[in-house]
Amino acid sequence: MSEHFVNRGPSISLEGARAIVANSPLAADMDAAYAYCAAHGADPAHMLAHATKETQCGTQGVGRVPQRCAFALEYRRWERAHDHGTRFGWYDSYLDAAKDWVDLITGPVYFGAGLVTVETILPKYCEGDTRQYQQEVIDMMALWASTYPVTPTAATPDPAPVDVGALAQQVAYLGAAVQDLQAKLAQQAAYFGQAIEDLENRVKALEGKNG
């Protein structure tokens, strides 16, 4: 049986994540939530699959405004949640809810304990038989990954190797060319210097005759 890892970064593009939540209240915070999830090594597709399963991305139950508990996290003094005396936390924004979920999944309880697949996370995340939940999450992630794939970053080609011998020959050639040019310039300077001297002598001779 294959395992579905969720600790290897994004399996969907940011554009795909935006499309998935386009008609939900998560849309406004999607860019930041995606970035936070990816920065922690988690898969945004996994995050959105949970939000879909729990509250239809914030459109049902405790996920709706004003509670915004899109992932149906029970209130356990999460860093960003507020206690309103209810089972589930209350959030100021959907981004805060997403960050608490990412911190939970990537923290010591799951990733830190080696629980890094859909198959190992959900039995701890939910009570009872989670096989159907697992399959629905897996199916959503697979569909999204095929529909909104991450575009591979083009690899930077390695620089061509330097031919040291050819480079040395070019340097020697340029050095010889510079020396040759300097010699020609010196010859021309001497020629013009003599010509100027001859002209000055002629001028002096003419001045002597006229004086």
Side-chain angles (χ1 to χ4, degrees):
M1 180 179 176
S2 61
E3 295 180 296
H4 299 83
F5 289 89
V6 294
N7 66 331
R8 298 176 178 177
S11 65
I12 60 173
S13 65
L14 173 58
E15 292 74 17
R18 290 170 179 165
I20 292 165
V21 301
N23 297 317
S24 81
L26 272 67
D29 290 327
M30 192 65 258
D31 285 29
Y34 182 101
Y36 190 84
C37 188
H40 285 70
D43 189 348
H46 182 224
M47 174 180 70
L48 293 181
H50 271 267
T52 300
K53 280 291 298 174
E54 297 293 345
T55 67
Q56 286 297 308
C57 292
T59 63
Q60 295 181 4
V62 297
R64 294 178 297 180
V65 176
Q67 194 163 356
R68 302 183 185 87
C69 192
F71 301 90
L73 287 180
E74 293 185 5
Y75 178 74
R76 296 177 184 171
R77 299 190 182 281
W78 299 113
E79 180 181 350
R80 303 168 185 87
H82 303 292
D83 181 12
H84 283 222
T86 58
R87 177 184 175 187
F88 300 101
W90 290 62
Y91 288 92
D92 293 331
S93 71
Y94 285 102
L95 177 59
D96 283 349
K99 286 181 175 181
D100 268 359
W101 184 87
V102 170
D103 289 350
L104 170 64
I105 296 298
T106 62
V109 176
Y110 293 98
F111 282 14
L115 307 181
V116 295
T117 65
V118 174
E119 293 82 359
T120 56
I121 288 173
L122 276 170
K124 188 177 182 67
Y125 191 88
C126 301
E127 297 177 353
D129 189 345
T130 62
R131 286 176 294 181
Q132 181 177 347
Y133 196 137
Q134 290 178 39
Q135 193 57 54
E136 290 176 359
V137 167
I138 290 168
D139 290 345
M140 278 188 280
M141 292 180 64
L143 174 62
W144 294 339
S146 64
T147 306
Y148 309 111
V150 176
T151 303
T153 303
T156 303
D158 294 331
V162 177
D163 187 336
V164 178
L167 184 61
Q169 289 179 349
Q170 290 180 350
V171 171
Y173 171 78
L174 290 174
V178 169
Q179 290 179 348
D180 183 58
L181 180 60
Q182 288 175 333
K184 289 180 178 180
L185 289 174
Q187 290 175 353
Q188 290 181 350
Y191 170 79
F192 284 115
Q194 185 61 51
I196 290 172
E197 185 178 349
D198 290 345
L199 183 58
E200 289 176 342
N201 290 336
R202 288 181 183 180
V203 169
K204 289 180 181 179
L206 289 173
E207 289 176 345
K209 288 181 180 181
N210 295 329

